């Protein structure tokens, strides 16, 4: 096999390193910023509090959280991307500490079942990458290109990635120390417990907390937020306010009137039902997303139970019918376990940082949870804000650059999620037919589909466009190949050199042998290893 450095062209898509040490870098935080008030104590409020506290309390800035005793948190959201590992690493919090407290498990990626009806592509796995993938990525991209250009070679993503082998064998993505490759992974967790855990840690790290209901917002003559009034107390002032009030968006949307861009013309789902079921001895290391009649169902393994839910479009299905279909699929028609019904507002605000208000979490926007990206938006928004604050530039131009960055991330992610629906081949309900027929696509997405179908390759385009700000090239190859977006099998020519230059047997052997370095998820969770410090993960995808 070819080593990554022998390939041409080669580009690093992820270059991720982590360290528990906080480098003491010089900052130019404007002296006028002395107090930041976060309104809302859901995952967004507490993650933001931790990120701000970590960077700013040592500079004498006060961080406070106000949380209503009357409005609960949304209390769903149990899957993450690998970036959550960076969140805990940057805070110096060990998995052995937080994971048991949150009933957390390791996640290698997501299996998509029954989204495509194409023979051989009824199921595919979207993996989180690992360093080992440097050895198989070229082969995967080569085969995908060869197949889209008409050669009958294997291009199913499940066959090329170690994460897929781990997930299908319920193995945790934590290799033995002797295994020379790091593996990227995400987590599943109980979102209520995660909120409680972060709340506790934030208080330990100096964040102030007041349980109070915000009843009003006062603006100054420049249209900035001067204070928020609370029930049974004096108005609360701050230099910066962070809106973490969930879908209500009390500060950013209601008080400042920041426009909201709905994504409902290309993401139809606007409702969800959540319901737990028991888990057995095996604890899987993947989320399963199964397409249903009017949406999809998630199945997320925690140490204590499965979290399940049905994300659907209320324009195509009633809440009762959706609950019936979910219960039927779970074998829980006679179960007394209540199901929670939720509404979702899909889209984003135009400005996530508007005047002296930053919006984080559902208040800034939400893309449905198909790829579990919401906590990543929270993390990125808060860390990028710290970056801007540390650079000392709070000018209008800085606001614009910041908002552009966050908006690009939203749009790129939206387009990736839309692709699951647009490329579906189910024709069993009006919902799936409408999704396939939907022509409300961004220009970047149209261009990407055109390039794919032309067989010219999409890597350079993904790198250039905002689309690449959501998902890296290999994820785009995974979804297009995994959904079977190839010529009809009867039109494929028999594989011959150079199309079949890579041996699938060799790849299978490499990945099979590699799994011997991993143990079952249950075993690993019983004794979570300490982190290997100061390691760097470099992934080459092209
Ligand atoms: C069906 C579904 C599935 C999801 N799955 C995932 C997933 O797998 N992965 C993922 O990353 N994300 C997922 N999410 C998103 C995730 O749940 C949220 O992004 C995350 O929980 C953050 O929510 P939040 O803190 O913004 O809002 P909330 O949890 O709604 O918190 C809002 C906070 O604001 C406070 N508040 C509201 N009004 C006031 C007031 N007047 N005064 C004071 N305080 C107030 C409330 O008390 C509460 O503390 C999912 C969402 C849905 C709907």
């Amino acid at each position: 096999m070819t080593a990554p450095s022998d390939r041409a062209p080669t580009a690093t898509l992820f270059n991720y390193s982590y360290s528990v040490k906080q480098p003491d870098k010089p900052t130019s935080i404007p002296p006028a910023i002395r107090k930041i008030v976060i309104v809302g104590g859901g995952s967004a409020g507490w993650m933001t509090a931790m990120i701000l506290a970590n960077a700013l309390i040592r500079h004498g800035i006060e961080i406070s959280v106000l949380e209503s005793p009357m409005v609960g948190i949304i209390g769903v959201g149990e899957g993450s991307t690998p970036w959550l590992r960076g969140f805990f690493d940057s805070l110096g919090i060990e998995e052995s500490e937080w994971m048991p407290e949150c009933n957390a498990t390791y996640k290698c990626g997501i299996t998509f079942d029954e989204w495509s009806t194409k023979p051989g592509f009824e199921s595919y796995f979207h993996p989180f990458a690992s360093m080992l993938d440097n050895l198989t990525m070229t082969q995967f991209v080569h085969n995908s290109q060869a197949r889209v250009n008409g050669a009958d070679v294997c291009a199913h993503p499940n066959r090329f990635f170690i994460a897929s082998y781990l997930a299908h064998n319920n193995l945790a993505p934590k290799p033995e120390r002797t295994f020379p490759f790091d593996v990227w992974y995400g987590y599943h967790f109980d979102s209520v417990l995660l909120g409680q855990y972060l709340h506790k840690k934030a208080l330990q790290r100096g964040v102030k907390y007041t349980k109070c209901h915000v009843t009003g917002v006062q603006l100054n003559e420049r249209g900035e937020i001067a204070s928020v009034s609370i029930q049974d107390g004096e108005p609360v002032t701050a230099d910066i306010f962070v809106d973490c009030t969930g879908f209500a968006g009390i500060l950013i949307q209601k008080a400042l009137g920041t426009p909201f861009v709905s994504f409902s013309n290309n993401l139809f789902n606007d409702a969800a039902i959540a319901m737990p079921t028991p888990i057995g001895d095996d604890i899987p290391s993947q989320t399963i997303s199964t397409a249903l009649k009017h949406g999809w169902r998630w199945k997320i393994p925690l140490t204590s139970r499965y979290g399940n839910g049905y994300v659907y479009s209320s324009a195509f299905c009633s809440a009762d019918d959706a609950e019936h279909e979910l219960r039927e699929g779970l074998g829980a028609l006679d179960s007394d376990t209540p199901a929670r019904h939720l509404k979702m507002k899909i889209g984003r605000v135009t400005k996530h940082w508007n005047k002296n208000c930053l919006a984080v979490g559902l208040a800034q926007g939400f893309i449905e949870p198909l790829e579990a990206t919401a906590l990543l938006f929270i993390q990125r928004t808060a860390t990028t804000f710290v970056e801007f604050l540390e650079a000392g530039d709070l000018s209008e131009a800085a606001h614009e650059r910041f908002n552009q960055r966050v908006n690009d991330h939203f749009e790129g992610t939206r387009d990736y999620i839309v692709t699951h629906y647009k490329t579906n081949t189910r024709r069993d309900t009006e919902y799936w037919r409408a999704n396939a027929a939907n022509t409300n696509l961004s220009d970047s997405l149209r261009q990407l589909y055109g390039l794919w179908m032309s067989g010219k390759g999409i890597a350079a385009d993904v790198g250039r466009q905002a689309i690449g700000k959501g998902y890296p090239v290999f994820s785009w190859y995974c979804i297009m190949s995994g959904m079977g977006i190839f010529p009809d099998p009867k039109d494929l020519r028999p594989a011959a050199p150079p199309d079949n230059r890579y041996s699938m047997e060799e790849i299978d052997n490499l990945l099979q042998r590699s799994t011997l370095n991993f143990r079952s998820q249950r075993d690993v969770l019983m004794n979570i290893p300490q982190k290997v410090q100061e390691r760097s993960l470099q992934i080459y995808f092209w």
Side-chain angles (χ1 to χ4, degrees):
M1 293 207 182
T2 333
S5 55
D6 298 337
R7 296 183 201 139
T10 298
T12 308
L13 275 193
F14 289 131
N15 183 356
Y16 175 73
S17 43
Y18 54 83
S19 156
V20 279
K21 268 201 260 127
Q22 282 293 308
D24 253 340
K25 43 183 190 215
T27 64
S28 312
I29 302 169
I33 307 298
R34 306 310 307 153
K35 182 177 174 190
I36 300 180
V37 165
I38 299 167
V39 184
S43 306
W46 291 115
M47 283 180 75
T48 305
M50 289 293 277
I51 290 167
L52 298 186
N54 198 39
L56 304 178
I57 285 183
R58 72 189 118 125
H59 296 291
I61 297 173
E62 182 185 312
I63 313 289
S64 303
V65 173
L66 312 181
E67 185 189 12
S68 169
M70 282 129 77
V71 184
I73 61 166
I74 192 149
V76 282
E78 303 186 325
S80 88
T81 64
W83 298 99
L84 195 63
R85 186 174 163 191
F87 170 76
F88 285 109
D89 283 342
S90 66
L91 298 170
I93 297 176
E94 288 280 350
E95 290 176 343
S96 50
E97 181 188 334
W98 79 266
M99 287 183 69
E101 283 204 40
C102 301
N103 295 340
T105 63
Y106 293 107
K107 170 179 173 185
C108 299
I110 307 174
T111 283
F112 292 90
D113 280 339
E114 296 172 44
W115 287 73
S116 171
T117 54
K118 296 194 174 186
F121 296 93
E122 298 90 345
S123 175
Y124 82 94
F125 183 73
H126 180 196
F128 295 141
S130 88
M131 287 165 88
L132 188 63
D133 299 335
N134 292 336
L135 302 181
T136 53
M137 192 69 73
T138 295
Q139 292 82 332
F140 172 55
V141 171
H142 168 89
N143 280 20
S144 297
Q145 284 297 129
R147 194 170 175 101
V148 84
N149 281 296
D152 190 4
V153 292
C154 171
H156 197 294
N158 290 25
R159 298 281 299 279
F160 291 87
F161 298 101
I162 181 70
S164 157
Y165 281 66
L166 300 180
H168 289 102
N169 291 292
N170 297 340
L171 299 173
K174 301 287 285 185
E176 302 296 341
R177 276 177 188 268
T178 48
F179 191 63
F181 302 101
D182 198 5
V183 176
W184 239 33
Y185 54 79
Y187 307 99
H188 305 113
F189 46 82
D190 181 316
S191 66
V192 174
L193 295 180
L194 180 69
Q196 289 168 1
Y197 176 81
L198 292 175
H199 180 157
K200 178 181 80 181
K201 292 300 280 189
L203 298 196
Q204 282 170 8
R205 292 182 180 203
V207 172
K208 303 200 160 138
Y209 173 66
T210 313
K211 219 169 179 68
C212 60
H213 187 71
V214 169
T215 51
V217 180
Q218 292 76 46
L219 304 184
N220 64 20
E221 63 288 354
R222 291 184 300 279
E224 296 160 344
I225 299 178
S227 59
V228 292
S229 33
I230 57 172
Q231 213 163 41
D232 307 324
E234 293 296 309
V236 178
T237 58
D239 304 305
I240 291 173
F241 288 87
V242 186
D243 187 344
C244 292
T245 59
F247 284 129
I250 289 170
L251 310 187
I252 196 84
Q253 296 181 46
K254 299 214 169 97
L256 293 181
T258 312
F260 186 85
V261 183
S262 169
F263 292 160
S264 61
N265 70 351
N266 51 19
L267 288 173
F268 299 160
N269 297 340
D270 60 355
I273 312 174
M275 185 180 163
T277 52
I279 191 158
D281 285 342
D282 283 338
I283 305 181
S285 50
Q286 62 174 321
T287 297
I288 294 188
S289 155
T290 308
L292 300 185
K293 281 189 202 152
H294 306 102
W296 58 277
R297 182 177 95 199
W298 77 77
K299 184 174 186 191
I300 289 185
L302 308 184
T303 53
S304 51
R305 59 168 168 82
Y306 278 113
N308 311 281
Y310 186 1
V311 176
Y312 66 97
S313 168
S314 63
F316 292 84
C317 173
S318 73
D320 284 348
D321 287 348
E323 181 169 338
H324 184 85
E325 193 185 354
L326 175 65
R327 285 184 179 276
E328 195 172 44
L330 296 174
L333 276 176
D334 300 327
S335 158
D336 295 337
T337 308
R340 279 189 64 208
H341 287 256
L342 303 145
K343 291 304 267 177
M344 306 187 302
K345 184 168 143 192
I346 306 297
R348 60 163 175 83
V349 291
T350 49
K351 294 180 184 178
H352 308 262
W353 180 12
N354 190 1
K355 299 191 188 289
N356 65 338
C357 176
L358 176 73
V360 187
L362 299 175
Q364 75 181 131
F366 182 51
I367 293 176
E368 65 143 278
L370 187 56
E371 293 272 357
T373 44
L375 295 195
L376 174 57
F377 282 111
I378 295 170
Q379 195 181 334
R380 283 251 174 102
T381 306
T383 47
T384 307
F385 185 69
V386 166
E387 218 179 273
F388 275 67
L389 210 54
E390 285 178 341
D393 185 3
L394 307 186
S395 65
E396 264 311 302
H399 278 69
E400 274 175 33
R401 283 200 310 281
F402 177 90
N403 288 321
Q404 188 63 53
R405 234 206 259 185
V406 182
N407 284 337
D408 283 350
H409 185 200
F410 261 88
E411 308 281 298
T413 304
R414 189 253 342 255
D415 284 351
Y416 192 76
I417 303 298
V418 165
T419 300
H420 293 78
Y421 294 98
K422 180 65 190 166
T423 59
N424 96 83
T425 50
R426 294 175 65 114
R427 296 292 177 266
D428 54 327
T429 60
E430 186 48 35
Y431 170 86
W432 289 107
R433 291 190 291 273
N435 269 296
N438 188 10
T439 50
N440 291 314
L441 305 174
S442 71
D443 290 344
S444 329
L445 203 48
R446 275 174 208 285
Q447 187 167 325
L448 184 126
Y449 293 163
L451 276 172
W452 177 268
M453 297 315 290
S454 75
K456 288 186 193 138
I458 55 172
D461 198 52
V462 171
R464 253 194 323 270
Q465 304 238 25
I467 232 168
K469 304 276 186 343
Y471 277 83
V473 176
F474 99 98
S475 287
W476 284 99
Y477 269 95
C478 280
I479 193 169
M480 299 303 277
S481 299
M483 293 294 284
I485 312 303
F486 295 120
D488 200 279
K490 69 175 169 16
D491 299 328
L492 293 175
R493 61 179 182 276
D499 295 328
N500 61 354
R501 66 199 275 202
Y502 295 115
S503 152
M504 286 313 297
E505 198 187 341
E506 199 182 317
I507 294 168
D508 281 343
N509 280 340
L510 170 75
L511 297 178
Q512 292 279 10
R513 266 187 285 118
S514 298
T515 61
L516 300 177
N517 295 283
F518 295 81
R519 289 180 293 135
S520 80
Q521 165 103 285
R522 184 170 280 287
D523 273 7
V524 172
L525 290 174
M526 282 170 67
N527 188 7
I528 296 173
Q530 296 281 304
K531 176 171 55 209
V532 182
Q533 294 184 8
E534 305 287 347
R535 271 177 87 165
S536 168
L537 171 59
Q538 282 212 332
I539 312 267
Y540 298 91
F541 285 140
W542 186 242

